[in-house]
Amino acid sequence: MKEEFLDRKLQERTAAGALRVLRIADNRADYYSNDYLGISRNGLIEASHPNTQFAHGSTGSRLLAGNYPMIEETEKEIATFHDAEAALIFNSGYDANFGLLSCVAGKGDMILYDKLSHASLRDGIRQSFADSLSFAHNDLGDLEKKLKNKKGNCFVVTESVFSMDGDMAPLAEMVSLCRQFKVHLIVDEAHATGFIGERGAGLVHDLGFQNECFARIHTFGKALGCHGAVILGSQTLRNYLINFCRPFIYSTAIPPVSVAAIKASYKIFPALNRERDQIRHLISLFGCDGFKKSVTPIQCFVIPGNDNVKRISRQLLENNLDVRPILYPTVPLGEERLRITLHSYNTVEETEKLISILTSGSVMVDG
Ligand SMILES: Cc1ncc(COP(=O)(O)O)c(C=O)c1O
Protein backbone atom coordinates (compact mmCIF):
# COMPACT_ATOMS: atom_id res chain seq x y z
CA MET A 1 0.00 0.00 0.00
CA LYS A 2 1.29 3.44 -0.88
CA GLU A 3 1.56 5.52 2.26
CA GLU A 4 4.30 7.95 1.30
CA PHE A 5 1.94 10.85 2.03
CA LEU A 6 1.79 9.70 5.66
CA ASP A 7 5.52 9.08 5.84
CA ARG A 8 6.23 12.55 4.51
CA LYS A 9 4.21 14.17 7.31
CA LEU A 10 5.87 11.94 9.91
CA GLN A 11 9.29 12.83 8.56
CA GLU A 12 8.43 16.54 8.84
CA ARG A 13 7.46 15.97 12.46
CA THR A 14 10.69 14.06 13.09
CA ALA A 15 12.78 16.84 11.52
CA ALA A 16 11.05 19.38 13.80
CA GLY A 17 11.86 17.20 16.83
CA ALA A 18 8.11 16.91 17.41
CA LEU A 19 7.38 13.26 16.61
CA ARG A 20 4.98 11.89 19.19
CA VAL A 21 5.62 8.36 20.45
CA LEU A 22 3.83 6.26 23.03
CA ARG A 23 5.68 5.24 26.18
CA ILE A 24 4.81 2.78 28.90
CA ALA A 25 5.39 4.28 32.33
CA ASP A 26 7.76 2.55 34.73
CA ASN A 27 8.15 3.08 38.45
CA ARG A 28 10.02 6.38 38.42
CA ALA A 29 8.56 9.25 40.47
CA ASP A 30 5.34 10.29 38.73
CA TYR A 31 5.33 14.00 37.82
CA TYR A 32 3.28 13.50 34.66
CA SER A 33 -0.08 11.85 35.37
CA ASN A 34 -3.27 13.74 36.23
CA ASP A 35 -4.03 11.37 39.12
CA TYR A 36 -3.49 14.29 41.51
CA LEU A 37 -5.06 12.68 44.58
CA GLY A 38 -3.72 9.18 43.97
CA ILE A 39 -7.22 7.70 43.62
CA SER A 40 -6.20 5.53 40.69
CA ARG A 41 -2.68 4.70 41.87
CA ASN A 42 -3.87 3.67 45.32
CA GLY A 43 -6.86 1.68 44.04
CA LEU A 44 -9.31 3.65 46.21
CA ILE A 45 -12.24 2.99 43.90
CA GLU A 46 -11.65 -0.76 43.72
CA ALA A 47 -11.28 -0.83 47.52
CA SER A 48 -14.58 0.98 47.95
CA HIS A 49 -16.68 -1.80 46.38
CA PRO A 50 -14.78 -5.09 46.51
CA ASN A 51 -16.42 -8.17 44.97
CA THR A 52 -18.93 -6.08 43.05
CA GLN A 53 -19.26 -6.52 39.32
CA PHE A 54 -20.78 -4.11 36.85
CA ALA A 55 -21.51 -4.63 33.16
CA HIS A 56 -18.79 -3.61 30.72
CA GLY A 57 -21.27 -2.95 27.93
CA SER A 58 -24.01 -0.34 27.86
CA THR A 59 -25.28 -1.95 24.61
CA GLY A 60 -26.25 1.24 22.81
CA SER A 61 -26.43 5.01 22.77
CA ARG A 62 -28.29 6.73 25.61
CA LEU A 63 -31.26 7.40 23.33
CA LEU A 64 -31.56 3.72 22.38
CA ALA A 65 -30.41 0.87 24.66
CA GLY A 66 -27.72 2.66 26.68
CA ASN A 67 -29.71 4.50 29.35
CA TYR A 68 -30.02 2.86 32.77
CA PRO A 69 -31.05 3.85 36.31
CA MET A 70 -27.51 4.14 37.74
CA ILE A 71 -26.40 6.68 35.11
CA GLU A 72 -29.39 8.97 35.78
CA GLU A 73 -29.02 8.55 39.54
CA THR A 74 -25.31 9.44 39.29
CA GLU A 75 -26.09 12.51 37.19
CA LYS A 76 -28.49 13.71 39.87
CA GLU A 77 -25.91 13.12 42.62
CA ILE A 78 -23.23 14.98 40.66
CA ALA A 79 -25.58 17.90 39.94
CA THR A 80 -26.41 18.14 43.66
CA PHE A 81 -22.74 17.99 44.66
CA HIS A 82 -21.76 20.85 42.34
CA ASP A 83 -24.97 22.81 42.99
CA ALA A 84 -26.24 22.62 39.43
CA GLU A 85 -29.78 22.19 38.17
CA ALA A 86 -28.88 19.30 35.87
CA ALA A 87 -26.01 17.12 34.68
CA LEU A 88 -25.33 15.03 31.58
CA ILE A 89 -22.53 12.45 31.52
CA PHE A 90 -20.27 12.02 28.49
CA ASN A 91 -17.71 9.38 27.49
CA SER A 92 -14.82 11.82 27.88
CA GLY A 93 -13.98 15.45 28.46
CA TYR A 94 -13.03 15.69 24.80
CA ASP A 95 -16.51 14.51 23.77
CA ALA A 96 -18.21 16.84 26.24
CA ASN A 97 -16.30 19.94 25.15
CA PHE A 98 -16.39 19.14 21.47
CA GLY A 99 -20.09 18.28 21.58
CA LEU A 100 -21.14 21.31 23.62
CA LEU A 101 -19.19 23.90 21.67
CA SER A 102 -20.13 22.50 18.29
CA CYS A 103 -23.88 22.56 18.92
CA VAL A 104 -24.70 25.36 21.32
CA ALA A 105 -24.12 28.39 19.08
CA GLY A 106 -25.42 28.76 15.54
CA LYS A 107 -25.12 30.99 12.48
CA GLY A 108 -25.08 34.65 13.49
CA ASP A 109 -23.83 33.84 17.02
CA MET A 110 -20.37 34.37 18.43
CA ILE A 111 -17.92 32.41 20.59
CA LEU A 112 -15.06 34.22 22.35
CA TYR A 113 -12.48 31.85 23.79
CA ASP A 114 -9.24 32.13 25.70
CA LYS A 115 -6.30 31.66 23.34
CA LEU A 116 -4.93 28.84 25.50
CA SER A 117 -8.17 26.86 25.55
CA HIS A 118 -7.82 23.08 25.33
CA ALA A 119 -7.91 21.45 21.88
CA SER A 120 -11.27 19.81 22.67
CA LEU A 121 -12.87 23.25 23.12
CA ARG A 122 -11.20 24.69 20.05
CA ASP A 123 -12.14 21.69 17.90
CA GLY A 124 -15.78 22.07 18.96
CA ILE A 125 -15.68 25.80 18.20
CA ARG A 126 -14.22 25.08 14.78
CA GLN A 127 -17.10 22.71 14.08
CA SER A 128 -19.72 25.30 15.10
CA PHE A 129 -21.53 27.55 12.60
CA ALA A 130 -20.97 30.56 14.89
CA ASP A 131 -18.26 33.18 14.36
CA SER A 132 -15.38 32.75 16.76
CA LEU A 133 -12.53 34.88 18.05
CA SER A 134 -9.85 34.16 20.62
CA PHE A 135 -8.89 36.68 23.29
CA ALA A 136 -5.37 36.94 24.72
CA HIS A 137 -4.80 34.55 27.60
CA ASN A 138 -6.59 35.75 30.75
CA ASP A 139 -6.62 39.27 29.29
CA LEU A 140 -9.78 41.02 30.51
CA GLY A 141 -9.05 44.15 28.45
CA ASP A 142 -8.88 42.14 25.24
CA LEU A 143 -12.01 40.19 26.18
CA GLU A 144 -13.92 43.42 26.87
CA LYS A 145 -12.75 44.91 23.57
CA LYS A 146 -14.09 41.86 21.73
CA LEU A 147 -17.33 41.82 23.73
CA LYS A 148 -18.04 45.34 22.48
CA ASN A 149 -18.39 43.85 18.98
CA LYS A 150 -20.40 40.82 20.06
CA LYS A 151 -23.18 39.56 17.87
CA GLY A 152 -26.13 37.23 18.24
CA ASN A 153 -26.05 34.87 21.14
CA CYS A 154 -22.55 35.24 22.52
CA PHE A 155 -20.52 32.71 24.57
CA VAL A 156 -17.30 33.24 26.51
CA VAL A 157 -15.19 30.12 27.00
CA THR A 158 -12.39 29.56 29.48
CA GLU A 159 -10.74 26.96 31.71
CA SER A 160 -10.71 27.46 35.46
CA VAL A 161 -7.23 25.89 35.71
CA PHE A 162 -5.28 25.95 32.45
CA SER A 163 -3.99 22.54 31.47
CA MET A 164 -0.59 23.55 30.16
CA ASP A 165 0.22 26.53 32.41
CA GLY A 166 -1.57 25.67 35.65
CA ASP A 167 -2.72 29.26 36.13
CA MET A 168 -6.33 30.14 36.87
CA ALA A 169 -8.84 32.27 34.99
CA PRO A 170 -9.82 35.61 36.61
CA LEU A 171 -13.33 34.25 37.07
CA ALA A 172 -14.82 37.02 39.22
CA GLU A 173 -13.94 39.64 36.63
CA MET A 174 -15.09 37.43 33.77
CA VAL A 175 -18.42 36.83 35.48
CA SER A 176 -18.93 40.55 35.85
CA LEU A 177 -18.06 41.19 32.17
CA CYS A 178 -20.44 38.42 31.11
CA ARG A 179 -23.17 39.99 33.22
CA GLN A 180 -22.47 43.47 31.84
CA PHE A 181 -22.58 42.29 28.21
CA LYS A 182 -25.33 39.71 28.81
CA VAL A 183 -23.34 36.81 27.38
CA HIS A 184 -23.06 33.15 28.39
CA LEU A 185 -20.05 31.86 30.33
CA ILE A 186 -18.71 28.32 29.78
CA VAL A 187 -16.02 27.04 32.15
CA ASP A 188 -13.96 23.88 31.69
CA GLU A 189 -13.12 22.66 35.21
CA ALA A 190 -11.07 19.62 34.11
CA HIS A 191 -8.01 20.39 36.25
CA ALA A 192 -9.88 22.09 39.10
CA THR A 193 -12.15 19.11 39.78
CA GLY A 194 -11.11 17.31 42.94
CA PHE A 195 -8.52 19.90 43.92
CA ILE A 196 -10.01 23.42 44.00
CA GLY A 197 -12.52 24.14 46.75
CA GLU A 198 -12.90 22.74 50.22
CA ARG A 199 -14.33 19.48 48.88
CA GLY A 200 -12.88 19.66 45.39
CA ALA A 201 -16.07 20.87 43.70
CA GLY A 202 -14.15 23.24 41.42
CA LEU A 203 -13.39 26.94 41.12
CA VAL A 204 -16.86 28.06 40.03
CA HIS A 205 -18.41 26.42 43.07
CA ASP A 206 -15.67 27.68 45.37
CA LEU A 207 -16.37 31.26 44.30
CA GLY A 208 -20.14 30.78 44.39
CA PHE A 209 -20.66 31.44 40.67
CA GLN A 210 -22.77 28.33 39.96
CA ASN A 211 -25.68 30.46 38.80
CA GLU A 212 -23.51 32.71 36.65
CA CYS A 213 -22.38 29.92 34.35
CA PHE A 214 -24.22 28.72 31.32
CA ALA A 215 -22.27 25.46 31.46
CA ARG A 216 -19.47 23.85 33.48
CA ILE A 217 -17.52 20.82 32.32
CA HIS A 218 -15.99 18.49 34.92
CA THR A 219 -13.87 15.57 33.79
CA PHE A 220 -13.45 12.29 35.66
CA GLY A 221 -10.16 11.16 34.13
CA LYS A 222 -7.89 13.39 36.17
CA ALA A 223 -8.12 13.85 39.97
CA LEU A 224 -11.17 11.57 40.11
CA GLY A 225 -9.16 8.59 38.88
CA CYS A 226 -11.83 7.36 36.43
CA HIS A 227 -12.86 8.24 32.90
CA GLY A 228 -15.63 10.36 31.36
CA ALA A 229 -17.01 13.83 31.99
CA VAL A 230 -20.14 15.74 32.84
CA ILE A 231 -21.73 18.94 31.57
CA LEU A 232 -23.54 20.89 34.28
CA GLY A 233 -26.18 23.48 33.51
CA SER A 234 -29.91 24.01 33.39
CA GLN A 235 -32.48 21.33 32.67
CA THR A 236 -33.11 23.12 29.38
CA LEU A 237 -29.44 22.82 28.42
CA ARG A 238 -29.54 19.10 29.31
CA ASN A 239 -32.61 18.58 27.10
CA TYR A 240 -30.95 20.57 24.31
CA LEU A 241 -27.80 18.44 24.44
CA ILE A 242 -29.82 15.22 24.38
CA ASN A 243 -31.42 16.51 21.17
CA PHE A 244 -28.57 18.28 19.37
CA CYS A 245 -25.20 17.17 20.72
CA ARG A 246 -23.84 14.70 18.19
CA PRO A 247 -21.12 12.96 20.31
CA PHE A 248 -23.87 12.29 22.88
CA ILE A 249 -26.47 11.09 20.38
CA TYR A 250 -24.32 9.02 18.06
CA SER A 251 -22.06 7.13 20.45
CA THR A 252 -22.47 4.10 22.69
CA ALA A 253 -23.16 5.22 26.25
CA ILE A 254 -20.54 4.98 28.96
CA PRO A 255 -20.95 1.51 30.57
CA PRO A 256 -22.15 0.72 34.11
CA VAL A 257 -18.64 -0.38 35.15
CA SER A 258 -17.39 3.17 34.47
CA VAL A 259 -20.38 4.93 36.01
CA ALA A 260 -20.06 2.83 39.18
CA ALA A 261 -16.45 4.02 39.44
CA ILE A 262 -17.47 7.66 38.93
CA LYS A 263 -20.20 7.30 41.56
CA ALA A 264 -17.67 5.77 43.96
CA SER A 265 -15.13 8.52 43.29
CA TYR A 266 -17.71 11.17 44.21
CA LYS A 267 -18.00 9.44 47.58
CA ILE A 268 -14.21 9.41 48.02
CA PHE A 269 -12.58 12.60 46.70
CA PRO A 270 -14.55 15.22 48.67
CA ALA A 271 -12.99 13.88 51.89
CA LEU A 272 -9.37 13.69 50.66
CA ASN A 273 -8.26 16.81 52.52
CA ARG A 274 -4.95 15.34 53.64
CA GLU A 275 -4.09 14.64 50.00
CA ARG A 276 -5.05 18.20 48.94
CA ASP A 277 -2.95 19.59 51.83
CA GLN A 278 0.07 17.53 50.77
CA ILE A 279 -0.24 18.86 47.21
CA ARG A 280 -0.52 22.44 48.54
CA HIS A 281 2.62 21.86 50.54
CA LEU A 282 4.47 20.67 47.44
CA ILE A 283 3.19 23.69 45.50
CA SER A 284 4.69 25.96 48.16
CA LEU A 285 8.15 24.60 47.29
CA PHE A 286 7.92 26.17 43.83
CA GLY A 287 7.79 29.85 42.93
CA CYS A 288 11.50 30.20 42.22
CA ASP A 289 13.12 31.43 39.02
CA GLY A 290 12.25 29.64 35.83
CA PHE A 291 8.86 28.31 36.91
CA LYS A 292 5.61 29.87 35.74
CA LYS A 293 3.56 31.23 38.63
CA SER A 294 0.93 28.68 39.60
CA VAL A 295 -0.95 27.77 42.77
CA THR A 296 -2.28 24.53 41.32
CA PRO A 297 -0.83 21.03 40.90
CA ILE A 298 0.38 21.99 37.41
CA GLN A 299 3.79 23.66 37.47
CA CYS A 300 5.69 24.60 34.32
CA PHE A 301 9.32 25.11 33.52
CA VAL A 302 9.69 26.65 30.08
CA ILE A 303 12.66 25.41 28.05
CA PRO A 304 12.41 26.74 24.48
CA GLY A 305 13.03 24.21 21.72
CA ASN A 306 11.66 20.70 21.30
CA ASP A 307 15.13 19.10 21.38
CA ASN A 308 16.16 21.01 24.51
CA VAL A 309 13.08 20.15 26.51
CA LYS A 310 13.23 16.50 25.46
CA ARG A 311 16.90 16.27 26.47
CA ILE A 312 16.22 17.75 29.90
CA SER A 313 13.30 15.41 30.42
CA ARG A 314 15.73 12.54 29.69
CA GLN A 315 18.21 13.96 32.23
CA LEU A 316 15.45 13.96 34.84
CA LEU A 317 14.57 10.37 33.95
CA GLU A 318 18.16 9.40 34.68
CA ASN A 319 17.53 10.86 38.14
CA ASN A 320 14.43 8.71 38.56
CA LEU A 321 12.10 11.69 38.03
CA ASP A 322 9.51 11.27 35.27
CA VAL A 323 8.45 14.67 33.92
CA ARG A 324 7.04 14.81 30.42
CA PRO A 325 8.12 17.41 27.87
CA ILE A 326 5.34 19.36 26.17
CA LEU A 327 6.40 20.11 22.65
CA TYR A 328 5.50 22.49 19.86
CA PRO A 329 2.85 22.28 18.29
CA THR A 330 0.96 21.34 21.49
CA VAL A 331 2.23 24.65 22.92
CA PRO A 332 3.33 27.71 20.91
CA LEU A 333 6.84 27.80 19.42
CA GLY A 334 9.34 28.95 22.04
CA GLU A 335 6.96 27.96 24.86
CA GLU A 336 8.02 24.30 24.96
CA ARG A 337 8.11 23.19 28.57
CA LEU A 338 8.32 20.57 31.22
CA ARG A 339 4.83 20.14 32.63
CA ILE A 340 5.22 19.01 36.23
CA THR A 341 2.09 17.61 37.81
CA LEU A 342 2.10 17.26 41.58
CA HIS A 343 0.39 14.46 43.47
CA SER A 344 -0.41 13.63 47.06
CA TYR A 345 2.05 10.72 46.71
CA ASN A 346 5.03 12.82 45.61
CA THR A 347 7.46 13.39 48.45
CA VAL A 348 9.04 16.66 49.53
CA GLU A 349 12.51 15.14 49.07
CA GLU A 350 12.00 14.07 45.46
CA THR A 351 10.24 17.35 44.64
CA GLU A 352 13.12 19.38 46.11
CA LYS A 353 15.53 17.27 44.10
CA LEU A 354 13.53 18.00 40.93
CA ILE A 355 13.49 21.75 41.61
CA SER A 356 17.16 21.75 42.47
CA ILE A 357 18.16 19.95 39.25
CA LEU A 358 16.16 22.41 37.17
CA THR A 359 17.34 25.58 38.90
CA SER A 360 20.94 24.71 39.71
CA GLY A 361 22.13 25.14 36.14
CA SER A 362 23.16 21.50 36.00
CA VAL A 363 20.82 20.92 33.08
CA MET A 364 22.26 21.74 29.69
CA VAL A 365 20.15 23.94 27.42
CA ASP A 366 21.37 24.65 23.88
CA GLY A 367 21.01 28.07 22.28
C1 LIG B 1 -8.66 21.42 30.07
C2 LIG B 1 -9.04 20.09 29.53
N1 LIG B 1 -10.29 19.92 29.08
C3 LIG B 1 -10.69 18.74 28.58
C4 LIG B 1 -9.83 17.66 28.51
C5 LIG B 1 -10.30 16.37 27.92
O1 LIG B 1 -10.72 15.50 28.93
P1 LIG B 1 -10.67 13.93 28.72
O2 LIG B 1 -9.26 13.51 28.95
O3 LIG B 1 -11.63 13.40 29.71
O4 LIG B 1 -11.09 13.66 27.32
C6 LIG B 1 -8.54 17.78 28.99
C7 LIG B 1 -7.63 16.61 28.95
O5 LIG B 1 -6.49 16.65 28.68
C8 LIG B 1 -8.12 19.03 29.51
O6 LIG B 1 -6.87 19.21 29.96
Side-chain angles (χ1 to χ4, degrees):
M1 205 165 44
K2 295 218 174 311
E3 292 187 346
E4 287 92 347
F5 63 106
L6 301 180
D7 263 334
R8 218 174 310 120
K9 296 297 273 185
L10 288 169
Q11 278 159 19
E12 279 167 26
R13 273 266 155 105
T14 307
L19 188 73
R20 294 172 167 124
V21 288
L22 297 176
R23 238 187 74 194
I24 303 279
D26 50 27
N27 56 4
R28 292 179 169 96
D30 168 10
Y31 286 99
Y32 59 89
S33 83
N34 294 317
D35 185 23
Y36 303 118
L37 303 170
I39 290 181
S40 175
R41 180 191 178 104
N42 297 326
L44 299 190
I45 289 169
E46 292 77 358
S48 79
H49 49 246
N51 310 320
T52 316
Q53 299 225 322
F54 295 94
H56 284 81
S58 66
T59 77
S61 71
R62 287 284 290 277
L63 285 163
L64 296 175
N67 203 31
Y68 45 93
M70 184 168 57
I71 197 165
E72 294 210 349
E73 191 183 293
T74 305
E75 286 174 336
K76 288 199 177 95
E77 286 170 9
I78 292 173
T80 304
F81 177 76
H82 293 282
D83 246 327
E85 191 178 301
L88 191 66
I89 289 180
F90 283 73
N91 281 312
S92 71
Y94 188 94
D95 276 1
N97 280 344
F98 180 85
L100 174 71
L101 271 304
S102 59
C103 77
V104 87
K107 225 174 166 44
D109 294 335
M110 181 172 247
I111 304 176
L112 300 175
Y113 62 99
D114 189 288
K115 202 173 169 54
L116 296 192
S117 294
H118 191 260
S120 53
L121 295 163
R122 286 187 281 116
D123 289 357
I125 292 166
R126 204 180 316 148
Q127 191 71 15
S128 158
F129 291 110
D131 286 350
S132 63
L133 270 181
S134 67
F135 54 91
H137 178 51
N138 278 347
D139 187 330
L140 296 163
D142 195 33
L143 173 60
E144 182 169 8
K145 199 166 82 193
K146 284 166 179 154
L147 279 169
K148 284 181 178 152
N149 295 318
K150 76 174 176 111
K151 53 182 216 170
N153 225 350
C154 180
F155 298 82
V156 170
V157 180
T158 192
E159 291 171 28
S160 48
V161 172
F162 281 85
S163 61
M164 289 297 147
D165 288 61
D167 55 344
M168 294 200 276
L171 261 196
E173 293 83 352
M174 291 183 87
V175 161
S176 107
L177 278 177
C178 288
R179 243 192 245 154
Q180 181 190 338
F181 286 92
K182 297 189 171 46
V183 300
H184 305 293
L185 179 61
I186 295 178
V187 183
D188 177 343
E189 295 257 42
H191 293 277
T193 314
F195 179 70
I196 303 282
E198 210 181 316
R199 304 179 71 224
L203 185 63
V204 170
H205 188 273
D206 194 40
L207 298 175
F209 292 141
Q210 302 86 296
N211 297 327
E212 307 284 347
C213 289
F214 172 80
R216 286 176 271 167
I217 301 93
H218 290 271
T219 63
F220 309 137
K222 305 186 192 301
L224 272 57
C226 308
H227 189 80
V230 70
I231 296 180
L232 303 176
S234 66
Q235 192 58 53
T236 308
L237 174 63
R238 187 175 187 274
N239 292 341
Y240 181 87
L241 293 171
I242 290 169
N243 280 277
F244 294 100
C245 182
R246 295 172 73 84
F248 178 85
I249 299 166
Y250 297 110
S251 188
T252 299
I254 192 167
V257 68
S258 298
V259 173
I262 294 160
K263 197 174 167 62
S265 190
Y266 267 86
K267 296 210 165 26
I268 296 167
F269 79 81
L272 297 183
N273 291 322
R274 228 165 20 135
E275 284 73 4
R276 283 186 280 272
D277 282 346
Q278 166 70 0
I279 296 171
R280 277 185 213 108
H281 182 56
L282 296 178
I283 294 168
S284 74
L285 305 176
F286 287 78
C288 37
D289 285 351
F291 291 96
K292 286 201 168 204
K293 200 169 151 32
S294 158
V295 293
T296 74
I298 302 169
Q299 302 287 324
C300 285
F301 194 83
V302 173
I303 301 167
N306 281 349
D307 289 338
N308 282 332
V309 73
K310 280 195 292 188
R311 187 171 48 256
I312 291 166
S313 163
R314 280 196 300 272
Q315 286 182 33
L316 291 171
L317 271 183
E318 285 158 16
N319 283 278
N320 233 14
L321 301 162
D322 198 344
V323 182
R324 300 297 163 96
I326 308 292
L327 309 178
Y328 170 80
T330 299
V331 288
L333 205 60
E335 289 274 316
E336 298 83 357
R337 70 211 37 209
L338 293 173
R339 177 177 182 266
I340 301 156
T341 52
L342 301 173
H343 312 88
S344 52
Y345 48 86
N346 291 136
T347 67
V348 169
E349 294 70 33
E350 66 195 5
T351 306
E352 282 176 343
K353 180 173 156 195
L354 167 61
I355 294 170
S356 146
I357 292 174
L358 289 175
T359 56
S360 67
S362 62
V363 288
M364 300 293 295
V365 181
D366 287 348

